[in-house]
Amino acid sequence: MKRPITRSWLTLPLLALSLNLGLFSPALQAQSLTLPEHSSVPGGVALIPLSVDGASAPEARYGKNRVLVVPSAGTEYAEQASWVALVGIPLSTKPGPQQLNVGSEVISFDVVDKHYREQRLVIKNKRKVNPNKLDLDRIGKEKKKMLAALGNWGDSNLNVIRFARPAKGPFSSPFGLKRFFNDQPRKPHSGLDIAAPKGTPIVAPAPGIVTDTGDYFFNGRNLILDHGQGLITMYSHMNRIDVEVGQRVELGQQLGTVGSSGRVTGPHLHWSVSLNNVRVDPILFLYPDQR
């Protein structure tokens, strides 16, 4: 296994910003946080101000899942609330009122509709579209393992809320596309694709812990990075993985390289962001100059 390296194309200002976004420490609560973009749509992130006193973040839940709550100090919500809940909204959510449970209090917020485009792809390997029984058994085991990692809640301090790009290259397939493989409807696109040649470095967009790696039927060589408190990223179709489960990585540290493993039409990175165990649009978490 090759030693992970730091790529110089991630700028030092981004590094300084990410390392200064510590949460819940009294010395850091007064610092300005860069929140993700508010987008209360299916597949988006709703930023909900919470007027709750106390030095510790209140526990909030959306459905069965715990929600990330951060101090409001230094944000646009500082004058109206002490805390801000960051709620990931499933793509399957119907427009209308939703509920966030904060202790014994129920806070309502609205989800508005969003139209996502269609994408039709031709997959040459027909088993990647219609798996056989052995494939389905494998897929079921792999899905269980990945979902466990994506649904993890780590109580460690969260050091960053915004991300840098994990790879160089143009965005090819945006989040939320209604997908058809060989004219057969499948689940919407749950990540953001970055087109890049095989071997292009993939780097950590923020500090985190590697919690899962594997070579999976659909995702190919796959890696999951836990940033803490329900904020998790996933990297699929990799050519090579350069880190190990349990390893802590820093911003800009190489995770591996772009490939074409799994169900693909060509080399690219499929990058997913999970918040409170919901896959949301990664664009909302990118620094503006990284879009």
Side-chain angles (χ1 to χ4, degrees):
M1 178 175 294
K2 294 186 177 180
R3 181 185 298 272
I5 59 175
T6 301
R7 313 304 296 185
S8 61
W9 56 273
L10 288 173
T11 61
L12 288 177
L14 283 179
L15 177 60
L17 177 60
S18 72
L19 296 180
N20 283 328
L21 290 179
L23 303 181
F24 308 126
S25 166
L28 295 174
Q29 284 189 20
Q31 293 188 11
S32 175
L33 298 176
T34 305
L35 299 176
E37 182 179 330
H38 171 77
S39 181
S40 192
V41 302
V45 177
L47 304 184
I48 302 175
L50 306 178
S51 297
V52 179
D53 295 329
S56 299
E59 184 172 317
R61 290 186 178 273
Y62 178 51
K64 296 180 180 180
N65 298 317
R66 191 168 173 182
V67 168
L68 172 61
V69 177
V70 301
S72 66
T75 74
E76 60 188 288
Y77 301 96
E79 294 185 1
Q80 57 180 302
S82 304
W83 304 90
V84 181
L86 281 60
V87 183
I89 304 168
L91 270 169
S92 59
T93 303
K94 302 297 183 185
Q98 298 290 311
Q99 292 185 337
L100 177 69
N101 294 289
V102 185
S104 60
E105 184 180 3
V106 176
I107 298 175
S108 296
F109 65 99
D110 289 324
V111 171
V112 298
D113 198 12
K114 179 175 180 177
H115 174 73
Y116 290 101
R117 296 186 291 109
E118 289 186 0
Q119 182 184 48
R120 295 179 180 270
L121 299 171
V122 176
I123 306 296
K124 293 181 180 178
N125 184 346
K126 293 186 170 135
R127 279 177 55 192
K128 297 294 184 180
V129 180
N130 296 299
N132 61 33
K133 185 180 183 307
L134 289 177
D135 295 334
L136 290 172
D137 290 342
R138 174 186 170 186
I139 291 165
K141 293 176 183 177
E142 293 173 352
K143 182 178 180 181
K144 184 177 180 180
K145 186 169 179 276
M146 285 189 289
L147 288 179
L150 290 168
N152 183 59
W153 178 273
D155 282 323
S156 59
N157 281 354
L158 188 70
N159 293 316
V160 67
I161 303 175
R162 280 286 182 115
F163 296 133
R165 273 191 188 229
K168 281 186 173 181
F171 300 139
S172 50
S173 294
F175 174 88
L177 288 173
K178 300 173 183 177
R179 308 193 92 176
F180 295 81
F181 294 110
N182 299 353
D183 291 325
Q184 298 181 41
R186 291 296 184 266
K187 290 183 179 179
H189 193 217
S190 61
L192 173 67
D193 286 353
I194 300 176
K198 180 179 178 180
T200 300
I202 300 170
V203 301
I209 304 284
V210 180
T211 54
D212 182 69
T213 62
D215 192 349
Y216 298 140
F217 187 83
F218 287 131
N219 289 27
R221 293 183 186 90
N222 193 78
L223 183 151
I224 294 176
L225 191 59
D226 194 326
H227 305 281
Q229 301 182 51
L231 182 57
I232 296 167
T233 53
M234 184 169 74
Y235 310 80
S236 305
H237 312 307
M238 299 171 71
N239 180 61
R240 192 183 73 230
I241 297 174
D242 292 344
V243 291
E244 299 178 344
V245 172
Q247 181 176 341
R248 177 176 175 82
V249 297
E250 303 301 333
L251 171 66
Q253 185 170 329
Q254 184 161 321
L255 303 175
T257 58
V258 171
S260 55
S261 56
R263 183 172 65 184
V264 297
T265 58
H268 70 281
L269 170 64
H270 172 93
W271 181 42
S272 298
V273 174
S274 185
L275 182 66
N276 53 266
N277 201 21
V278 170
R279 264 49 80 196
V280 295
D281 192 348
I283 286 287
L284 302 174
F285 287 83
L286 283 173
Y287 293 109
D289 64 350
Q290 299 283 295
R291 297 184 179 185

